[in-house]
Amino acid sequence: MVRLTVDLIAKSRNHFKKKRGLAFPEYLKTLTHLHFSSKNIEDIGDLSMCRNLTVLYLYDNQITHICNLDFAFNLTHLYMQNNNISQIDNLSNLQKLSKLYLGGNRIAVVDGLETLCELKELHLENQRLAPGEKLLLDPKTLLSLAESLSVLNISHNNIDDIKGLTVLMELQHFSAADNKLHNMEELEHVFSHWPQLLQMDLSGNPVCKKPKYRDRLITVCNSLVTLDGREINELTRQFLINWKASKDAKKKKNKKQITAGPPVLYPITNYFNMGQDPHLGHIHGHSLQRWNPQQPIRAQNVKKCRLLSHAPVSSPICSHADA
């Protein structure tokens, strides 16, 4: 089994040339970068003498566990993609870590990152999962990364739901290609909470076949520059935003009309024929003529008498003087 230790560093020709006459312990203290990719390494040994390490390259090995990195307080970049890691652990002391590469491993649940308050990039693409299994992201971990994470890659992980990612309001680059995302409304809701988003790749998802998929995402993501590898023309964006605003205004108007309902029509009733005394509102609804102050009172009374002559009455409405 190949294990990464200070002895392996001492045997490395690359580091032997850089010692420049320094004693080996002193040289280890000056190390800021370690390059041990593609070395068939299966385990990480004691590297505590490399106290100033900032970048560690361990990709394309056979490592199964992340361990023995508690000393690396200054580590900012950790490259461990394409190993056999199944769990993220033992990273709590790496509080200066800003870039973490774990793609191509066997991770099913993303957790254990709650203390990494400066993490800006998280790469988790192409996990080698069991059939039917999908990558899950722990809500507590996501919440802890909400104010720092700007780059997230979760492509090719059988993911069909990203509602939990809504909290990542500082995201600028998001890759979720070749998953099983299908709910357009869910995506619109999540992306509306990412005002900083510049680049996004959702290619290879079922949702890409939905009508107006590209148009709808462009109108939701106002700052988006590239979608699925294609740049967004600013004129196109403005046209789509105006189109959406017009469409929403029309929907709002129609909804208001439906809420108000159709006008209510009341039938005109001849209250005189029914033997009822009409009140002022009912009379006003009939064809009774209003009193005209410029007309003689006698003439107006005659007109009223003619109008009401068809109704049966028990006593004369007009006086003898008017007749």
Side-chain angles (χ1 to χ4, degrees):
M1 179 178 73
V2 180
R3 194 179 197 203
L4 177 60
T5 61
V6 292
D7 291 335
L8 187 63
I9 296 173
K11 295 175 182 177
S12 170
R13 292 183 179 181
N14 185 38
H15 291 282
F16 181 77
K17 293 178 182 178
K18 294 180 180 179
K19 288 199 303 182
R20 298 178 182 177
L22 290 173
F24 188 62
E26 293 299 318
Y27 168 69
L28 291 176
K29 293 177 184 179
T30 66
L31 277 179
T32 58
H33 292 61
L34 270 181
H35 297 262
F36 278 92
S37 58
S38 303
K39 301 293 184 182
N40 291 318
I41 294 172
E42 299 177 40
D43 189 27
I44 303 172
D46 183 8
L47 300 174
S48 57
M49 295 182 71
C50 307
R51 62 183 66 175
N52 290 311
L53 197 63
T54 58
V55 181
L56 180 56
Y57 296 95
L58 290 174
Y59 57 87
D60 295 338
N61 282 297
Q62 304 296 324
I63 298 171
T64 56
H65 294 93
I66 303 172
C67 59
N68 292 322
L69 294 178
D70 293 344
F71 73 93
F73 298 105
N74 295 311
L75 198 67
T76 59
H77 295 55
L78 180 58
Y79 297 84
M80 298 191 72
Q81 62 267 43
N82 300 325
N83 279 280
N84 291 314
I85 299 167
S86 59
Q87 186 174 351
I88 303 174
D89 49 16
N90 299 317
L91 295 177
S92 58
N93 284 356
L94 310 186
Q95 296 186 16
K96 291 185 179 181
L97 196 65
S98 63
K99 296 185 180 183
L100 179 58
Y101 291 80
L102 291 172
N105 280 283
R106 300 181 182 276
I107 299 167
V109 179
V110 180
D111 57 2
L113 304 176
E114 291 80 9
T115 62
L116 306 186
C117 299
E118 295 189 20
L119 191 65
K120 297 185 181 301
E121 296 190 20
L122 180 58
H123 300 263
L124 298 162
E125 70 282 358
N126 299 309
Q127 297 300 317
R128 289 171 284 157
L129 303 173
E133 195 172 20
K134 64 180 179 180
L135 183 67
L136 300 174
L137 292 94
D138 176 54
K140 187 177 179 181
T141 290
L142 291 173
L143 190 60
S144 68
L145 300 176
E147 296 182 3
S148 64
L149 201 66
S150 61
V151 177
L152 177 62
N153 188 346
I154 53 173
S155 296
H156 205 282
N157 283 311
N158 297 322
I159 295 173
D160 57 6
D161 176 5
I162 60 168
K163 290 193 294 290
L165 304 184
T166 306
V167 297
L168 302 177
M169 294 182 291
E170 297 300 318
L171 271 189
Q172 297 180 14
H173 301 262
F174 178 60
S175 297
D178 300 317
N179 280 296
K180 296 182 179 180
L181 300 175
H182 60 278
N183 190 325
M184 190 69 202
E185 288 71 24
E186 175 189 290
L187 297 186
E188 288 178 312
H189 173 73
V190 173
F191 300 153
S192 67
H193 289 78
W194 296 352
Q196 314 290 340
L197 193 63
L198 299 175
Q199 295 184 3
M200 178 163 61
D201 186 4
L202 300 178
S203 58
N205 282 279
V207 73
C208 298
K209 299 179 181 179
K210 297 279 179 116
K212 297 197 178 293
Y213 150 80
R214 185 175 176 86
D215 293 352
R216 290 173 67 174
L217 291 189
I218 290 175
T219 57
V220 170
C221 309
N222 293 330
S223 60
L224 198 62
V225 175
T226 305
L227 176 59
D228 298 344
R230 292 168 53 197
E231 289 189 7
I232 298 170
N233 181 280
E234 194 57 36
L235 291 176
T236 301
R237 185 205 308 279
Q238 196 57 51
F239 169 79
L240 291 172
I241 290 175
N242 293 340
W243 167 77
K244 184 177 185 297
S246 175
K247 187 178 179 181
D248 290 346
K250 187 175 180 180
K251 283 184 178 180
K252 186 176 180 181
K253 182 179 179 181
N254 292 339
K255 185 177 180 181
K256 188 176 181 181
Q257 291 177 346
I258 293 172
T259 303
V264 179
L265 300 177
Y266 294 97
I268 297 176
T269 306
N270 191 334
Y271 289 93
F272 294 100
N273 290 336
M274 296 173 63
Q276 299 179 10
D277 294 330
H279 58 73
L280 181 60
H282 292 148
I283 294 175
H284 194 70
H286 289 279
S287 300
L288 295 181
Q289 191 173 3
R290 292 173 178 268
W291 173 64
N292 188 347
Q294 295 180 355
Q295 235 178 0
I297 296 176
R298 178 182 175 82
Q300 293 186 45
N301 288 339
V302 169
K303 289 183 179 181
K304 287 184 179 180
C305 290
R306 289 174 181 173
L307 180 64
L308 301 175
S309 62
H310 298 288
V313 292
S314 58
S315 60
I317 298 178
C318 303
S319 67
H320 294 286
D322 293 334

